[in-house]
Amino acid sequence: ELKQEITRTLTAGNPNAPQNIVRYRFKEREYKLVEDMDQTAIHFTLNGNMIHKDSDEGRRQSIRSSIEAEASVETAAETSEEVEIKDEEQTGDTEAAGEGEGEGEQKGEGEEEGEATADEPEAVEEAEEAEAEEPPPTKAPEKKLANQFNFIERASMTPQNPLRERACQSEPLPSENFSANVNQWDIYDAYVEELDRMEKAKEKEKAKPQAVKKEEEKKGVQKLSHVEPQHIEPITRVAKAAKIAERMVNLNTFDDIAQDFKYFEDASDEFRGQQGTLLPLWHFQYDKTKKLAVTAISWNPKYNDLFAVGYGSYDFMKQGHGMVLLYSLKNPSFPEYVFSGNSGVMCLDFNSEHPHLMVVGFYDGNVAIYSLKKATSQPIYKSSAESGKHTEPVWQVKWQKDDMDNNSNFFSISSDGRIVSWTLVKNELVHVDIIKLSVDGTMQGPEGLQLQTLGCGTSFDFHKKIDYLFLVGTEEGKIYKCSKNYSNQFLDVFEAHHMAVDTVSWNPYHLKVFISCSSDWTVKIWDHTIKTPMFTYDLSCAVGDVAWSPYSSTVFAAVTTDGKAHVFDLNINKHEPLCTQLVVTRKKNKTTHIQFNPVYPIIIIGDERGLITSLKLSPNLRKMPKEKKGQEVKKGPEVEMAKLEKLLSLVREPENKE
């Protein structure tokens, strides 16, 4: 205890200084809190009585003392003069008295004259002796200053600035009293007149030629362009600065996560062998989507930090509104864009050639296109019953390359068995049915009618190189290989799963390989030229989604309804996942979708409570081939394709030998 060091920090602030003193300010006519308090604390004071002679006070006192000394000398001189004058007067009186006595004696007796003359020299001698015996005049006592150095009473007055009031007087506005009675028929007549006026205005518009209308529209646009700046809200002027400030605040708040995202590499992977982990990073949640499930996730092809999330519900009994939110990794606390719809969102996709265009499929069968360039939250295109919308939920949408006329187009698949191609032509959506899925056999209808049953499409994916080739997954568990050129028949049928095919996806590197997952707990990897799966993985729970990684042809990840994420690398382990990690901790919550970021080593996972979780892959999950001495490591699509082909050849060999 004696050796223990206790650190005490001394600060310049006085802890006993008051913090809430309020004083009245006459200029502002209100009480104000005193902000600057004196923080000095006096521990020892000693009043002295010495003043430096060169100081102002010392000079004043020396001048004052010299003046008083002069005054005292003058008073002493005056008193000595007065004494001399009095002595002279006394001698004059005595002389006069002596003369009078002599005259009287002359008039009287002559004998007395001799006695008087004899007495005169004696009187003079007595007067001289008396003067010699008189003491010198006393000097006036000097006045001592009270408290000469300790206290000086001073007073000062500061002039108060007079308050000036300015006022202007104007004439009161004229006012008039108005009153009127309104009955129901008056209101009815007013509405009828207004309707008549509107109908006449419409008729005039119709009667105008097209050229006049265009000119008026141009004039109107020009007028609006001049008027608009005056009506811009103040918040829009600082919107950009506010967004930057918000991102900076979030960057400071989540600084530790940003550091992990950029620099952290899990060193413990060296001791795990082949196993890897997922490091949780940011969580994305919006208050209005807490009761909605994540039904779709898609990364923007141009901005690597921007991704869109669709919200809806997979429960038939709990259908309501839907939302599309666009988040950025730079601002995890609030979405960049918010779009809402009357029906639940089931799927969405970004256009690779026009990254600002986003297509969304809804539970009610509609498809809509949103533009991020537009300030409005309404779609720029939307299907309707007249324009051939689906009659069942739209489960997936995919953009395709622009057609010959440079019109953007996309495909959609629905439970109604239709695969529809939509084209954006001027101001409308034009649809063409590509394929109608049908199930083998017929169903007995009323009165003995034979009805053909339609298949229910749940997912599809287009080949990365061959434009016309695409795969379709159905609720029956089958996967159809289709072509845009043939609308009535399939190129091939795979008996893939026992339950609905949730996702089907082509490998981004190998032209023949695709992957599928289903609610029958399995993930299967296929070669589209072979009817049987190359690899089958049982994950012991319904699989919600599966996705290939963008950096390796042999890495893929899947999410299951028990809240777990599974990451596989066929090049390292062909039988088991390298990582199985619980992402969702709450009970009765399921993970629904997963997506790899196209550039960064992270994945995002959505669940049924509207939460998006981002996780970073540890080094073991993204291993690249090691460099050998004297050899350069080859990289590129050809190397990845050869790596997967080597694995597939091991599986195909027994069949070839047979």
Side-chain angles (χ1 to χ4, degrees), residues 35-89:
E35 295 178 354
D36 300 327
M37 294 302 302
D38 187 12
Q39 300 291 331
T40 57
I42 300 170
H43 298 293
F44 176 75
T45 56
L46 179 64
N47 294 326
N49 56 3
M50 301 293 288
I51 295 177
H52 199 277
K53 65 180 182 179
D54 292 334
S55 64
D56 294 339
E57 185 65 26
R59 290 195 191 96
R60 282 198 293 271
Q61 289 195 10
S62 62
I63 293 167
R64 193 184 303 129
S65 60
S66 62
I67 291 169
E68 288 175 353
E70 290 174 1
S72 62
V73 171
E74 288 176 1
T75 52
E78 287 176 0
T79 51
S80 61
E81 287 176 1
E82 288 176 359
V83 170
E84 289 175 0
I85 292 167
K86 286 180 181 179
D87 292 341
E88 288 175 359
E89 288 177 355

Side-chain angles (χ1 to χ4, degrees), residues 531-594:
K531 287 290 191 75
T532 56
M534 312 302 287
F535 297 97
T536 302
Y537 300 98
D538 190 339
L539 301 183
S540 304
C541 197
V543 185
D545 194 11
V546 69
W548 290 105
S549 75
Y551 58 84
S552 175
S553 62
T554 57
V555 177
F556 65 92
V559 288
T560 50
T561 53
D562 58 355
K564 292 181 180 178
H566 309 263
V567 182
F568 292 80
D569 190 346
L570 303 178
N571 196 34
I572 296 173
N573 192 332
K574 296 187 288 291
H575 307 289
E576 292 179 351
L578 299 185
C579 173
T580 299
Q581 189 166 316
L582 188 66
V583 179
V584 177
T585 55
R586 299 178 72 180
K587 291 182 179 179
K588 296 183 180 179
N589 194 2
K590 303 173 184 178
T591 49
T592 55
H593 284 275
I594 184 170

Side-chain angles (χ1 to χ4, degrees), residues 182-199:
V182 179
N183 296 322
Q184 289 184 353
W185 51 84
D186 294 332
I187 298 171
Y188 176 78
D189 293 343
Y191 273 102
V192 169
E193 288 177 4
E194 180 66 18
L195 290 172
D196 291 342
R197 189 183 63 77
M198 290 172 67
E199 287 178 1

Side-chain angles (χ1 to χ4, degrees), residues 238-286:
V238 296
K240 189 175 182 181
K243 185 173 283 189
I244 294 170
E246 183 186 19
R247 288 187 178 182
M248 293 303 296
V249 170
N250 278 295
L251 195 63
N252 293 333
T253 306
F254 302 104
D255 181 59
D256 52 345
I257 298 178
Q259 296 291 335
D260 290 346
F261 162 72
K262 191 73 176 175
Y263 302 110
F264 180 75
E265 298 293 346
D266 195 353
S268 60
D269 271 17
E270 297 177 5
F271 309 102
R272 290 197 182 98
Q274 297 177 346
Q275 298 296 315
T277 56
L278 297 172
L279 175 69
L281 296 176
W282 300 281
H283 295 277
F284 302 86
Q285 185 141 30
Y286 189 52

